[in-house]
Amino acid sequence: MKVKIVPRSKVRVSRKSKSKYDKVKDAIGHLKSGGEALRVKFSDKKELNSIRNIAYAYNKEHNTKIRSSSNPNENTIFFYME
């Protein structure tokens, strides 16, 4: 039997369940270069990391450059596209 090895980058996994970050994903998709930034509130460091991972995954899937900047005093993170 022959086995063909496929790189992980070629395999796309889609989840059927809803994520509590679906609205963030949708809003990140509407960002425009030089346009307004997206402001998202978070409650703790773990949630901040989860929200950032959404942006990193979006950048990888769509080959974009969405940047982030956080304000830990107000527990907010801003996403923008250069």
Side-chain angles (χ1 to χ4, degrees):
M1 170 173 47
K2 290 186 177 181
V3 176
K4 182 178 179 183
I5 298 175
V6 178
R8 178 69 178 110
S9 61
K10 300 280 183 181
V11 178
R12 182 155 181 201
V13 177
S14 70
R15 298 174 67 199
K16 303 241 180 202
S17 63
K18 289 276 186 181
S19 168
K20 68 179 184 177
Y21 302 114
D22 279 343
K23 291 181 182 180
V24 175
K25 290 178 191 177
D26 185 43
I28 285 176
H30 294 329
L31 288 175
K32 294 180 182 166
S33 182
E36 293 183 3
L38 172 66
R39 179 179 169 223
V40 180
K41 287 197 165 267
F42 60 90
S43 59
D44 58 6
K45 192 95 167 161
K46 183 178 176 184
E47 192 172 28
L48 172 63
N49 290 337
S50 297
I51 294 169
R52 277 200 171 133
N53 283 337
I54 291 169
Y56 299 152
Y58 185 88
N59 281 341
K60 187 175 181 179
E61 286 178 15
H62 299 284
N63 197 23
T64 58
K65 294 284 185 182
I66 294 177
R67 306 284 184 191
S68 67
S69 175
S70 66
N71 184 346
N73 296 333
E74 296 180 13
N75 286 348
T76 56
I77 184 168
F78 298 92
F79 293 105
Y80 58 94
M81 188 179 290
E82 294 182 319

